[in-house]
Amino acid sequence: QVQLVESGGGLVQAGGSLRLSCVASGSIVSINAMGWYRQAPGKQRELVATITPGGRTNYADSVKGRFSISRDGAKNTVYLQMITLRPEDTAVYYCNAEILGGTEPGWYDYWGQGTQVTVSS
């Protein structure tokens, strides 16, 4: 079984910083793109940032210049460094990865359980 586990969320004041981590574990053959999404109360889940195995990144316009995504292939881990946080960044942040597992043929999308980020004004 493959699972993604996030950590690093919490409560921070506006202007502060947080670093999220997400580790993929289990029977993993290969990982393609990894990314972060978020969902605020009453809103749809939205893309925050993605990163390919080669390091190509993509960001939502709302976080460009403030958030930075990175990954460590050897550790099957993706990070999201967030600075200059705003109250509107408050949401549950979910890790996502496209993974080729060792027990089932084919690539599948996996999601973490989510980590709460709350930014106070």
Side-chain angles (χ1 to χ4, degrees):
Q1 283 282 30
V2 173
Q3 62 175 351
L4 303 181
V5 178
E6 302 106 332
S7 61
L11 173 63
V12 65
Q13 288 188 333
S17 303
L18 282 175
R19 188 190 194 212
L20 305 183
S21 300
C22 171
V23 181
S25 64
S27 180
I28 296 172
V29 174
S30 183
I31 301 178
N32 197 5
M34 303 183 81
W36 291 93
Y37 292 72
R38 67 187 182 186
Q39 187 167 18
K43 294 188 177 182
Q44 289 188 333
R45 189 173 298 188
E46 63 176 4
L47 179 145
V48 175
T50 60
I51 185 168
T52 67
R56 187 172 67 228
T57 58
N58 179 53
Y59 294 94
D61 287 343
S62 60
V63 306
K64 283 181 181 176
R66 301 187 299 121
F67 291 11
S68 178
I69 189 171
S70 61
R71 65 191 284 173
D72 185 331
K75 297 181 179 179
N76 290 340
T77 300
V78 63
Y79 305 96
L80 185 68
Q81 178 69 51
M82 306 182 291
I83 65 171
T84 321
L85 283 161
R86 305 167 180 168
E88 54 264 39
D89 294 318
T90 295
V92 177
Y93 284 69
Y94 296 92
C95 174
N96 170 265
E98 187 180 16
I99 295 175
L100 179 64
T103 57
E104 294 186 47
W107 292 85
Y108 291 92
D109 245 7
Y110 290 87
W111 293 88
Q113 81 287 352
T115 185
Q116 177 70 46
V117 172
T118 302
V119 185
S120 63
S121 57

